[in-house]
Amino acid sequence: MSDEYTYDEATGEWVAGGATTAVAVDDGAVVVRDSVGNVLADGDQVTLIKDLTVKGAGQTLKRGTLIKSIRLTGDAQEIDCRYEGIKGLVLRAEFVRKR
């Protein structure tokens, strides 16, 4: 038995050398990248890289704030997320960094 593994960039996981993974490729898929170029996916955790004033909430999110479980919106620059006390929070990908 072989102990070889290969890194599957589509899933971000190490798979056994003989294992095959079926990945559906959508040519119209939008790739969302954070401020340093990391590819973001649904469920990722991100941190803010600058203070952001949230319109309508009267609140400021400070630099370094951890946002858990993001969702992609289909727009290359917007991510949907939840933060305590703020409903419907949408952040620009240029202001976050993948954790």
Side-chain angles (χ1 to χ4, degrees):
M1 180 163 171
S2 173
D3 288 331
E4 295 179 18
Y5 288 89
T6 54
Y7 184 73
D8 185 4
E9 292 182 13
T11 62
E13 298 177 357
W14 288 92
V15 293
T20 58
T21 56
V23 177
V25 177
D26 184 12
D27 293 335
V30 177
V31 176
V32 180
R33 296 187 181 268
D34 67 359
S35 61
V36 293
N38 297 323
V39 177
L40 296 174
D42 286 338
D44 282 346
Q45 293 182 355
V46 296
T47 50
L48 298 178
I49 61 167
K50 68 178 269 182
D51 293 351
L52 298 174
T53 303
V54 181
K55 294 180 181 177
Q59 198 172 357
T60 299
L61 296 176
K62 299 291 183 185
R63 185 175 138 229
T65 301
L66 177 66
I67 305 292
K68 298 179 182 179
S69 187
I70 66 168
R71 287 174 289 165
L72 304 180
T73 62
D75 184 355
Q77 282 299 314
E78 292 182 350
I79 56 173
D80 188 26
C81 53
R82 290 184 180 179
Y83 189 74
E84 45 187 73
I86 303 173
K87 290 185 178 181
L89 180 62
V90 177
L91 296 174
R92 303 266 310 164
E94 63 191 275
F95 299 125
V96 299
R97 182 185 60 201
K98 186 174 181 177
R99 183 170 175 144

